[in-house]
Amino acid sequence: MANYDLIVIGTGPGGYVAAIRAAQLGLKTAVVEKRATHGGTCLNVGCIPSKALLFASEKFEEAGHSFASMGITVPAPKLDLAAMQAFKDKGVDGNVKGVEFLLKKNKVDAYHGVGKILAPGKVEVTAADGTVQVLETKNILIATGSDVAQLPGVTIDEEKVVSSTGALALKKVPGKLVVVGAGVIGLELGSVWRRLGAEVTVVEYLDRILPGMDGDVAKSFQRILQKQGFAFKLGTKVTGVDTKGKTLKVSVEPAAGGAAEVLEADVVLVAIGRVAYTGGLGLAEIGVETDKRGRVVVDHHYKSTVDGIYAIGDVIAGPMLAHKAEDEGVAVAELLAGKAGHVNYDVIPGVVYTFPEVASVGKTEEELKEAGIAYNVGKFPFTANGRAKVNNTTDGFVKFLADAATDKVLGCHIIGPEAGEMIHEVCVLMEFGGSSEDLARTCHAHPTRSEAVKEAAMAVEKRAIHM
Ligand code: FAD
Ligand code: NAI
């Protein structure tokens, strides 16, 4: 007899959510986590600490730059970085303890140590003190997440040449920060350190920022960031970082070839993506297949190529997002309990938590063009929204993409303060297969920024009122 119905390896947002849902459905469940705390990348060194620093640094910038225009005169704010880092750590601590509490509350057994799959139904756990035990189970769920992608020839020391983990824990504001990669991490953490005083240059291989996001949105957002002081070197690759001198010397050259150049930096942040993490799991030995990018291959029920072994989250294909991992966790637990678990991959929002925020759901214009789908565009700027005007935060817009024949909403893209909250009414609309007219005819409270969402939906039929 197996001791457990389900053992989950990894307690990030995918793993801990799967374990809780499985326990709710009556499965005897255990988790194995190699970190001392639960919550994975997201809670320990990802979503949560980055949002704490984004929040605090935004307040710092507001106090220094926006208060006076509203008639609030305060002395120039002083930065106590150690206290700001302590604020971040407290937030992380509260969140990871929350997960520990939830696992206990749901009677999920937690084992701390490195998990290795010996065979279907057998998980070996090696604790930090070297103690080894073997657990038995009917099913195994791999939720081991992802790790930082390395830049060939550049060694991350987490002091001067940092990944996101080091960039979240700097003890001093760098005079000059060079960010490699204009993706989500580069722009979020670049924003944190720019607000606190760093001169930030972002080096990006492609000729645009935020690949994968709507091109129109990326262009406008780049302009907004440049106004804030970001410098971009697009179509440029980093060929090496010389760490021998007092300052770092970053060698860059055009991606298409051409004259090389050296940038000086106090800190270099390498943010060129993340890779699936399966180290030490023993997958090859037991025949669990991985793809070219090292991700576990699963079917539409999250089953790997070996019966009884499943995988979800960053370790499988799809966007590397906490909420995607969570929803897959719920779905796989429900499937294992004999229910109809399912994730709608057409409606997974993505948010960049800068100021202003960028939020997106569904298809981009580029994707619709490539798929040959005829669409209508409805766009509404925040300069025409009463609440945004009175708050003096008018950068950005809302953009709807709706099927030309049926008016079904296929995508929505927003740049603006709180865009990450506003996108969810569109997610619900899309989940129900709604049209732009459905949203346009839904009463929205005045004065709110969300009225811009309604007006953009109205603009699909060229009948926005305030524009
Ligand atoms: P993870 O969170 O990576 O968890 C995997 C866990 O498995 C880890 O705790 C690891 O220690 C453990 N583990 C691995 N191997 C073993 C083993 N053999 N035995 C035992 N345990 C093991 N996403 C968002 O949606 N919103 C954001 O705002 C956001 N911000 C981010 C900011 C940063 C700086 C970073 C780096 C990422 C951010 N992400 C964000 C991405 C998000 O963190 C990931 O998508 C999410 O954590 C994936 O969840 P997961 O459960 O698949 O894996
Ligand atoms: P990313 O994939 O978002 O961006 C990486 C960028 O680096 C891309 O623009 C890419 O073209 C560029 N790049 C790749 N190789 C390069 C090179 N050699 N030189 C210069 N540029 C290069 O990856 P990022 O920002 O590291 O984030 C990793 C993951 O974490 C993402 O998948 C993201 O979804 C997740 N994340 C999500 C957040 C959110 O939801 N708010 C916040 C932070 C991370």
Side-chain angles (χ1 to χ4, degrees):
M1 268 293 281
N3 291 332
Y4 289 104
D5 294 310
L6 175 64
I7 291 180
V8 182
I9 307 179
T11 56
Y16 86 74
V17 167
I20 290 172
R21 184 71 186 122
Q24 283 177 345
L25 293 168
L27 302 185
K28 190 165 178 337
T29 306
V31 292
V32 179
E33 172 54 57
K34 66 177 182 164
R35 266 201 180 87
T37 51
H38 297 298
T41 303
C42 178
L43 274 64
N44 291 282
V45 290
C47 329
I48 294 298
S50 58
K51 267 77 253 180
L53 288 184
L54 279 159
F55 178 74
S57 61
E58 193 178 316
K59 299 289 160 207
F60 180 78
E61 184 160 62
E62 266 176 21
H65 297 282
S66 327
F67 279 15
S69 68
M70 294 182 281
I72 307 167
T73 314
V74 288
K78 281 202 193 105
L79 176 64
D80 179 345
L81 185 55
M84 196 179 276
Q85 291 289 16
F87 164 78
K88 173 206 74 184
D89 292 341
K90 192 165 164 241
V92 169
D93 189 55
N95 274 281
V96 298
K97 285 198 176 125
V99 174
E100 188 180 343
F101 164 79
L102 289 173
L103 290 171
K104 276 195 190 130
K105 182 181 156 205
N106 286 281
K107 303 195 171 34
V108 173
D109 291 342
Y111 297 86
H112 280 280
V114 177
K116 179 176 179 186
I117 307 175
L118 299 178
K122 271 195 189 357
V123 177
E124 178 189 81
V125 184
T126 307
D129 65 3
T131 323
V132 177
Q133 59 183 318
V134 176
L135 308 172
E136 301 214 344
T137 177
K138 287 188 191 136
N139 297 294
I140 296 169
L141 177 61
I142 301 168
T144 49
S146 61
D147 200 1
V148 174
Q150 305 286 329
L151 185 60
V154 175
T155 309
I156 291 174
D157 59 22
E158 298 297 14
E159 299 270 334
K160 296 269 177 206
V161 182
V162 299
S163 72
S164 51
T165 304
L168 286 167
L170 295 179
K171 292 188 188 73
K172 202 175 145 216
V173 179
K176 287 186 177 163
L177 172 68
V178 168
V179 177
V180 190
V184 197
I185 291 182
L187 301 184
E188 286 189 356
L189 295 181
S191 289
V192 166
W193 294 108
R194 185 201 56 73
R195 292 166 187 169
L196 300 181
E199 206 180 284
V200 180
T201 304
V202 182
V203 182
E204 164 63 47
Y205 189 81
L206 301 174
D207 59 1
R208 55 163 292 171
I209 68 168
L210 292 176
M213 285 244 180
D214 190 89
D216 182 18
V217 168
K219 253 195 217 126
S220 299
F221 189 51
Q222 187 186 333
R223 274 198 295 272
I224 293 170
L225 291 176
Q226 279 165 343
K227 256 197 319 192
Q228 294 176 359
F230 268 88
F232 288 98
K233 282 197 161 293
L234 304 183
T236 304
K237 64 181 175 193
V238 169
T239 52
V241 180
D242 181 350
T243 56
K244 288 195 285 292
K246 210 162 164 251
T247 57
L248 306 174
K249 307 272 184 299
V250 187
S251 305
V252 299
E253 61 182 52
E261 188 190 344
V262 173
L263 306 176
E264 268 197 39
D266 299 291
V267 172
V268 172
L269 163 59
V270 178
I272 58 165
R274 294 181 60 85
V275 286
Y277 184 78
T278 55
L281 279 175
L283 299 189
E285 290 95 309
I286 54 167
V288 170
E289 206 179 298
T290 51
D291 67 14
K292 281 200 299 261
R293 292 166 66 181
R295 302 173 299 192
V296 178
V297 174
V298 292
D299 66 13
H300 64 291
H301 280 179
Y302 308 102
K303 192 177 83 59
S304 75
T305 44
V306 173
D307 283 348
I309 302 181
Y310 298 79
I312 55 159
D314 279 11
V315 81
I316 66 169
M320 288 184 164
L321 294 172
H323 40 284
K324 176 257 193 190
E326 288 186 45
D327 282 14
E328 289 176 344
V330 169
V332 76
E334 292 180 346
L335 289 164
L336 288 172
K339 295 185 171 293
H342 172 73
V343 176
N344 179 0
Y345 289 98
D346 288 334
V347 187
I348 308 240
V351 179
V352 190
Y353 295 87
T354 40
F355 189 90
E357 291 182 346
V358 183
S360 165
V361 63
K363 299 280 187 257
T364 62
E365 274 202 66
E366 291 76 16
E367 285 170 336
L368 291 176
K369 277 188 191 129
E370 198 180 321
I373 298 169
Y375 61 93
N376 290 324
V377 181
K379 208 167 158 183
F380 189 83
F382 280 104
T383 43
N385 171 267
R387 185 66 179 276
K389 259 200 232 169
V390 81
N391 287 5
N392 198 19
T393 50
T394 50
D395 276 341
F397 56 81
V398 182
K399 172 172 160 179
F400 269 96
L401 302 173
D403 190 288
T406 64
D407 191 34
K408 184 178 174 183
V409 172
L410 303 173
C412 180
H413 308 277
I414 309 176
I415 305 179
E418 289 154 40
E421 302 293 338
M422 283 164 25
I423 196 74
H424 293 106
E425 67 167 311
V426 186
C427 296
V428 174
L429 179 85
M430 287 177 69
E431 195 63 46
F432 282 84
S435 64
S436 77
E437 188 179 357
D438 289 327
L439 204 139
R441 292 192 186 279
T442 303
C443 187
H444 281 61
H446 176 74
T448 57
R449 288 197 182 88
S450 295
E451 285 174 290
V453 178
K454 178 182 174 174
E455 292 264 13
M458 293 165 89
V460 171
E461 285 192 348
K462 311 274 172 277
R463 58 185 189 88
I465 300 292
H466 293 90
M467 192 175 59

